[in-house]
Amino acid sequence: MAMAAVAANPSATAEDPEPHREAVPGLESQRRQIENGESGRERPLRAGESWFLVEQHWYRQWEVYVQGGEQDSSTFPGCINNAKLFEDQINWCLKKGLVEGEDYVLLPSAAWHFLVGWYGLEQGQPPIERKVVELRGTRKVEVYPVELLLVPHRDMGTPHSAQFSQIDSIDLVLRTAREKFLVRPEKETRLWVKNSQGSFERLCNTRVTVLDAALKSGQLVVMETRSKDGTWPSAQPQAGNKASKEDEDFQGQPGICGLTNLGNTCFMNSALQCLSNVPQLTEYFLKNRYLEELNFCNPLGMKGEIAEAYADLVKQAWSGHHRSIVPQVFKTKVGHFASQFLGYQQHDSQELLSFLLDGLHEDLNRVKKKEYVELCDAAGRPDHEVAQEAWQNHKRRNDSVIVDTFHGLFKSTLVCPDCGNVSVTFDPFCYLSVPLPVSHKRVMEVFFVSMDPRRKPEQHRLVVPKKGKISDLCVALAKHTGVSPERMMVADVFSHRFYKIYQLEESLSSILDRDDIFIYEVSGRSAICENSREDVVLPIYLRERTPARDYNNSYYGLMLFGHPLLVSVPRDRLSWDSLYHILLYRLSRYVTRPSSDDEDDGDEKDMAAKDSIPKPGHVAGGSSQNPGPEQAGPSSGVAGGSRAPVNNSPGPSHWPQRARRKHLFTLQTVNSNGTSDRSNFNEDTHAQPYIAIDWEPEMKKRYYNEVEAEGYVKHDCVGYVLKKAPVRLRECIELFTTMETLEKENPWFCPSCKQHQLATKKLDLWKLPETLIIHLKRFSYTRFSREKLDTLVEFPIRDLDFSEFVKPQNESAPELYKYDLIAVSNHYGGLRDGHYTTFACNKDSGQWHYFDDNSVSPVTENQIESKAAYVLFYQRQDVARRAKPQPDLSDPPAPPACGQPPNSEFMDVN
């Protein structure tokens, strides 16, 4: 209760004490009632009760009077007169520094009223009422309350003084300010206090006391009123005042409001638009019911800040005064409490939605102090009894508008494969993450390089098992080319070099869709037997010498170009001259042979440095992602395989010297990166060298046809499109509720066996929420791959029936299982570059709109279903009917929204 400035309120004064004078008891009786007993001044203080100040001189005169025993004595004190306690008789402010026992005495409420009834109060004087407060375990009468200066935000030049007890709540300060400044009941207000540094701080929690808020006398308290466009005046930058005025003049359909993309924040905009179009949640915020339930002391919450930031967005979007708004404050709050959303990287709308629902729940949790609840197993009890107990336990710790709107209940059944023990538990959920039926096939694009130099590389589109091996890829290609899988080698080509040469037993999951996979035809003459002819498979790179950077023939002056080759060379032709002619033959499609006039003697010096080559061992391979030392290890493609030449092959002494003839190119042994001359290093002579074909710029220009070298043809299979059959949402839900066996990484501890077991698990839906969120698990992540499933999921706009999935069913209330769609979060594009948008049904008009950041456009229902659908929001039909507003004929028709309907074939991406 406000301690008015000892109230300059005439109604609180004694106008004429005589007419209201009560029957006066005897003097001794008066003394006993005032001094002793329950009503007397000697009684103990009780927190919260009122006591009154009486001027010391008057009280001492009264004591002399009653002790004298004569009612007609000249010591009669007259009316109570507290004039000496006041600074003046206009504002009736109490003097500073008054001391109890010297300047005044304190009387309890009953004693005060007795004295006023018997003697009256001096004309025009207000009673000096003060409260008993308990501070740090000590009770005392608060003679000097906290005097605050209240001002409205719109006019901070004329403060109004008001006094409050330290035990008064901030809510009382707010109500007092609203009364003083004549704020209408429907208007929303909040308080700011000016601190000692001169800056303003929000008084967020209105349930704390003046003492807890550390308010001191003389502090300035500002009351701010929310504008009709949903914004707070203090949140508007000065430069934006003009735009804000224009927005206030704009009048559109509430809820039809875009959100500005702050930089890769379309995921956040999509989640917010979906949540904003959940009718019962939006009404909860628009009608300010959240103000009574803000939980500022929840250690799991965000001190009410997320709930307040979301409320600000909802009020602006549904004010009807904005075409679009900038969610910068909300973005900052989210990043503050969830560091994964800091910055401006692209994120998942479902992940943001999960964080936001949890944050709103904890900020609005009606349970202020969570009790410990022990989870109980069914232990043979009936399901309905265990389910009811689980839900009640959940509500004992979690009770908010989010629980009321979005939470349901699972039934989880685990069965031990050894002892048959059955464990039944009931767990709450906020949304369903349902899997999509996944194809076990995968489409891969590869390039086939034939041994026939006349044939261009062929692009093939192959269908292979998703969990297959490299050998499966070769088998699939063999069906198109007629070349035996035994005569194929698979390599990943990156930046003109071999990134990796694969073994046949390696998994296809290690190959990403973006990798450039080349499959080379090699010789099949590789059987290991007596007197067999074996071929050596040599990796070949193409390099061009750059004259401007030619430093003593070092690798700095050479640049890789073109596609590398895997070339089979007969063991009996392992000489430089033979290799030159073999390579000239393999390159003959795009390298022109020189005429005899072009050939002349070569440079003696050039030949002298090229006389030796390390002994051929295995085909070099492995990964070249670490371009460090030029060590060329055994091939990861055919190490230990039948295609690799054995180590007893001819050594360098068996390689004849190259002819001293001018060649089109020179040959050089290099490392697996193709960037180092191996002859400059001391390395393992058993390792198979990579061979580089080095071109002089002039020779390359004359004899090398770059256009022809880059040419390739498309096999007929490339034109085939593997059509994906659409799936129904019902199939996804069935898959979600299908029994499964736990994985090795996530076993269950059986209380009966006392061991971890790979139990069978089945989920059933037991209790469905008012608003059901269904997350389609389109993104798949494995150790080697990440992919997005762009399967079309067919989902109903109306009458989604869950009756067959819920156990038990309430046949008397079928509407409890039927849902209508109200919003969809869409994701277009792939994993690394994507864009989120929203379809949502306006709760007031029933019209569907498409929200693409700050652009909003009307759509028809047949445009909603697409491959981009990612998160679905369904509302239970009984809730929709209950919450449906009655049409108001006085409302003006909503203006048409701007923009065009979305085109699902061409969507912008960030």
Side-chain angles (χ1 to χ4, degrees):
M1 186 174 186
M3 297 297 207
V6 191
N9 183 356
S11 63
T13 63
E15 296 284 338
D16 184 5
E18 294 300 331
H20 305 289
R21 191 77 53 86
E22 296 180 2
V24 181
L27 297 181
E28 180 59 24
S29 178
Q30 289 184 40
R31 189 185 66 78
R32 286 197 305 270
Q33 291 185 55
I34 300 303
E35 295 285 350
N36 306 314
E38 180 61 26
S39 62
R41 59 188 295 247
E42 299 300 328
R43 53 157 290 185
L45 300 175
R46 298 188 182 96
E49 66 182 5
S50 294
W51 284 59
F52 291 80
L53 274 71
V54 177
E55 197 269 325
Q56 174 82 5
H57 178 75
W58 184 93
Y59 189 78
R60 293 291 174 237
Q61 184 68 27
W62 172 81
E63 285 184 321
V64 171
Y65 171 64
V66 295
Q67 288 171 2
E70 298 182 13
Q71 294 196 356
D72 295 331
S73 170
S74 60
T75 58
F76 180 75
C79 292
I80 301 173
N81 188 349
N82 289 330
K84 292 181 181 180
L85 301 180
F86 296 113
E87 289 278 5
D88 57 63
Q89 298 188 10
I90 299 175
N91 295 318
W92 300 104
C93 292
L94 207 61
K95 287 181 180 179
K96 303 298 183 185
L98 297 178
V99 179
E100 183 181 5
E102 294 182 8
D103 301 300
Y104 64 87
V105 294
L106 289 169
L107 297 179
S109 179
W112 165 260
H113 286 103
F114 283 146
L115 288 177
V116 172
W118 300 332
Y119 299 95
L121 182 60
E122 190 68 29
Q123 177 76 23
Q125 283 188 13
I128 309 175
E129 181 182 1
R130 293 296 184 262
K131 288 293 183 71
V132 177
V133 296
E134 185 168 354
L135 302 176
R136 301 176 185 87
T138 303
R139 298 188 186 97
K140 69 173 185 177
V141 177
E142 189 180 32
V143 176
Y144 291 100
V146 178
E147 186 173 343
L148 300 176
L149 303 177
L150 307 179
V151 293
H153 184 269
R154 64 180 182 273
D155 180 20
M156 297 177 62
T158 54
H160 296 256
S161 177
Q163 291 185 340
F164 300 92
S165 167
Q166 293 186 74
I167 62 171
D168 285 337
S169 68
I170 300 299
D171 182 61
L172 178 61
V173 179
L174 179 60
R175 284 189 277 116
T176 303
R178 289 175 65 98
E179 292 173 6
K180 279 186 176 293
F181 305 129
L182 305 176
V183 179
R184 295 199 303 273
E186 69 274 11
K187 288 288 187 178
E188 186 179 351
T189 54
R190 63 183 184 181
L191 296 178
W192 298 79
V193 61
K194 189 174 184 179
N195 59 27
S196 57
Q197 286 77 35
S199 58
F200 287 90
E201 298 176 358
R202 271 279 315 280
L203 293 173
C204 299
N205 190 355
T206 59
R207 291 188 284 273
V208 301
T209 64
V210 170
L211 177 65
D212 294 333
L215 297 184
K216 306 297 181 184
S217 290
Q219 274 192 292
L220 188 69
V221 177
V222 181
M223 187 195 71
E224 184 181 20
T225 305
R226 192 189 289 273
S227 305
K228 66 178 181 179
D229 67 347
T231 62
W232 292 105
S234 62
Q236 293 296 323
Q238 295 298 320
N241 286 344
K242 183 177 180 182
S244 177
K245 179 63 178 172
E246 291 175 357
D247 277 341
E248 285 198 11
D249 295 337
F250 170 76
Q251 184 62 54
Q253 170 71 45
I256 310 305
C257 176
L259 295 172
T260 299
N261 192 323
L262 305 174
N264 283 332
T265 57
C266 56
F267 73 96
M268 181 183 77
N269 294 348
S270 178
L272 288 172
Q273 293 288 14
C274 287
L275 214 53
S276 172
N277 282 278
V278 175
Q280 58 269 48
L281 183 64
T282 295
E283 286 296 320
Y284 171 84
F285 282 99
L286 291 180
K287 293 181 178 177
N288 292 335
R289 292 201 294 268
Y290 76 100
L291 293 174
E292 302 170 3
E293 298 182 349
L294 283 170
N295 192 333
F296 298 99
C297 55
N298 186 352
L300 300 178
M302 288 80 175
K303 300 179 181 178
E305 293 184 35
I306 287 292
E308 288 188 325
Y310 179 74
D312 287 348
L313 277 182
V314 169
K315 287 175 179 292
Q316 292 176 49
W318 288 86
S319 69
H321 290 287
H322 298 280
R323 293 177 177 85
S324 68
I325 55 180
V326 182
Q328 183 65 63
V329 175
F330 181 82
K331 168 73 172 63
T332 303
K333 292 290 185 187
V334 169
H336 175 71
F337 290 106
S339 58
Q340 66 268 32
F341 297 114
L342 277 172
Y344 296 93
Q345 298 297 317
Q346 181 66 282
H347 292 281
D348 190 310
S349 67
Q350 189 271 331
E351 290 179 3
L352 187 278
L353 187 67
S354 176
F355 162 77
L356 183 54
L357 287 173
D358 185 60
L360 289 175
H361 159 64
E362 296 295 356
D363 272 2
L364 299 167
N365 199 344
R366 302 174 187 118
V367 180
K368 306 306 178 188
K369 187 175 181 180
K370 295 188 177 186
E371 57 182 303
Y372 173 75
V373 176
E374 186 174 353
L375 300 178
C376 299
D377 196 75
R381 293 180 294 163
D383 281 351
H384 68 86
E385 179 183 328
V386 182
Q388 185 177 7
E389 179 186 84
W391 184 251
Q392 288 175 348
N393 287 341
H394 179 59
K395 292 277 283 185
R396 283 163 63 186
R397 292 175 55 86
N398 304 278
D399 185 14
S400 70
V401 66
I402 301 300
V403 175
D404 299 341
T405 307
F406 298 102
H407 282 207
L409 204 62
F410 282 139
K411 176 187 177 184
S412 176
T413 306
L414 288 161
V415 180
C416 178
D418 284 358
C419 67
N421 177 45
V422 179
S423 171
V424 176
T425 57
F426 291 84
D427 304 302
F429 68 88
C430 189
Y431 51 83
L432 301 182
S433 287
V434 299
L436 273 62
V438 178
S439 170
H440 297 292
K441 298 292 184 180
R442 176 184 177 185
V443 178
M444 298 183 66
E445 289 190 358
V446 301
F447 289 92
F448 173 66
V449 181
S450 171
M451 288 182 65
D452 185 350
R454 296 167 297 180
R455 293 178 59 184
K456 292 183 178 180
E458 291 179 344
Q459 184 183 18
H460 291 257
R461 183 171 289 167
L462 307 175
V463 180
V464 294
K466 185 168 286 187
K467 296 185 178 180
K469 300 178 180 179
I470 297 295
S471 57
D472 295 315
L473 190 64
C474 297
V475 170
L477 181 61
K479 296 176 183 178
H480 291 183
T481 62
V483 176
S484 169
E486 298 299 321
R487 298 178 57 190
M488 295 180 185
M489 291 186 68
V490 181
D492 180 356
V493 175
F494 176 73
S495 191
H496 313 295
R497 57 173 63 90
F498 291 116
Y499 183 80
K500 184 172 184 180
I501 300 175
Y502 290 95
Q503 294 182 2
L504 295 176
E505 295 304 311
E506 285 192 73
S507 172
L508 286 175
S509 61
S510 61
I511 298 179
L512 306 182
D513 290 337
R514 65 174 181 269
D515 293 341
D516 291 323
I517 302 301
F518 283 71
I519 301 181
Y520 297 88
E521 180 186 6
V522 295
S523 170
R525 299 173 298 175
S526 54
I528 300 178
C529 60
E530 193 73 23
N531 299 322
S532 65
R533 294 184 62 200
E534 292 182 352
D535 288 352
V536 179
V537 180
L538 296 177
I540 307 295
Y541 290 152
L542 297 172
R543 304 194 301 183
E544 179 182 4
R545 192 176 299 280
T546 54
R549 301 177 63 190
D550 187 2
Y551 306 110
N552 299 324
N553 294 329
S554 68
Y555 69 92
Y556 293 106
L558 294 162
M559 297 288 291
L560 289 167
F561 71 93
H563 298 299
L565 295 171
L566 289 177
V567 177
S568 299
V569 180
R571 184 175 297 279
D572 57 2
R573 296 183 62 187
L574 282 177
S575 67
W576 287 114
D577 193 57
S578 297
L579 181 59
Y580 173 83
H581 286 95
I582 289 172
L583 294 178
L584 196 60
Y585 172 71
R586 283 296 302 267
L587 304 176
S588 60
R589 180 170 58 84
Y590 44 91
V591 173
T592 307
R593 284 179 177 271
S595 64
S596 58
D597 296 336
D598 295 333
E599 298 180 1
D600 55 15
D601 289 340
D603 188 345
E604 184 81 20
K605 287 190 300 181
D606 184 54
M607 294 298 109
K610 312 289 185 180
D611 283 342
S612 65
I613 185 170
K615 179 170 62 177
H618 296 87
V619 176
S623 172
S624 63
Q625 51 192 318
N626 295 317
E630 68 292 342
Q631 181 73 23
S635 167
S636 61
V638 291
S642 60
R643 299 194 199 111
V646 294
N647 287 336
N648 58 359
S649 54
S653 61
H654 296 85
W655 288 58
Q657 293 187 3
R658 287 170 288 181
R660 295 174 183 175
R661 160 180 288 180
K662 179 94 171 189
H663 287 177
L664 296 182
F665 47 77
T666 60
L667 302 177
Q668 178 67 270
T669 57
V670 293
N671 68 356
S672 59
N673 290 317
T675 55
S676 301
D677 184 345
R678 288 162 52 99
S679 63
N680 295 336
F681 300 90
N682 180 21
E683 59 177 79
D684 184 6
T685 57
H686 292 284
Q688 170 66 50
Y690 282 60
I691 305 297
I693 298 175
D694 292 343
W695 290 82
E696 296 291 340
E698 186 60 33
M699 300 297 283
K700 177 174 177 284
K701 184 177 180 181
R702 288 173 60 186
Y703 298 108
Y704 187 89
N705 187 336
E706 290 195 40
V707 175
E708 183 65 26
E710 294 295 325
Y712 69 95
V713 295
K714 292 185 178 182
H715 189 268
D716 292 342
C717 63
V718 176
Y720 302 154
V721 178
L722 188 65
K723 292 187 176 180
K724 296 181 180 179
V727 300
R728 294 178 302 153
L729 181 59
R730 179 177 299 275
E731 296 175 53
C732 301
I733 299 170
E734 287 174 351
L735 198 59
F736 177 77
T737 56
T738 299
M739 184 180 295
E740 62 178 357
T741 302
L742 298 178
E743 297 178 349
K744 291 182 180 179
E745 296 79 12
N746 187 30
W748 169 66
F749 183 79
C750 176
S752 178
C753 298
K754 306 297 182 183
Q755 291 182 355
H756 286 90
Q757 302 284 2
L758 300 182
T760 59
K761 181 179 181 180
K762 188 177 188 307
L763 288 176
D764 290 301
L765 300 176
W766 186 271
K767 180 181 185 300
L768 294 178
E770 294 182 353
T771 299
L772 180 62
I773 303 174
I774 302 177
H775 165 225
L776 303 177
K777 296 171 73 173
R778 290 195 177 275
F779 298 107
S780 173
Y781 301 95
T782 65
R783 180 181 175 186
F784 296 104
S785 66
R786 299 167 56 194
E787 64 175 330
K788 179 192 174 185
L789 306 175
D790 60 352
T791 308
L792 174 64
V793 178
E794 297 175 341
F795 50 87
I797 306 296
R798 294 182 184 83
D799 297 325
L800 173 62
D801 192 351
F802 273 88
S803 57
E804 66 179 272
F805 298 107
V806 178
K807 299 177 181 180
Q809 296 182 24
N810 185 351
E811 296 181 358
S812 62
E815 69 276 3
L816 294 178
Y817 310 112
K818 286 192 175 182
Y819 286 79
D820 293 335
L821 189 72
I822 57 173
V824 181
S825 176
N826 304 302
H827 179 267
Y828 298 91
L831 288 165
R832 289 175 293 175
D833 55 345
H835 185 57
Y836 289 90
T837 64
T838 300
F839 290 114
C841 180
N842 186 274
K843 68 180 182 66
D844 298 333
S845 66
Q847 168 69 44
W848 280 88
H849 287 82
Y850 179 71
F851 297 84
D852 184 0
D853 289 333
N854 59 353
S855 172
V856 185
S857 53
V859 292
T860 58
E861 289 186 358
N862 58 9
Q863 292 174 276
I864 297 170
E865 187 179 275
S866 73
K867 292 181 179 180
Y870 182 44
V871 184
L872 311 176
F873 284 68
Y874 279 93
Q875 186 178 44
R876 210 167 61 204
Q877 288 183 349
D878 67 312
V879 177
R881 283 194 293 270
R882 192 167 66 236
K884 190 173 182 180
Q886 297 298 320
D888 188 350
L889 300 179
S890 63
D891 288 344
C898 58
Q900 296 297 322
N903 185 335
S904 60
E905 297 298 324
F906 303 98
M907 302 301 300
D908 291 335
V909 297
N910 285 346

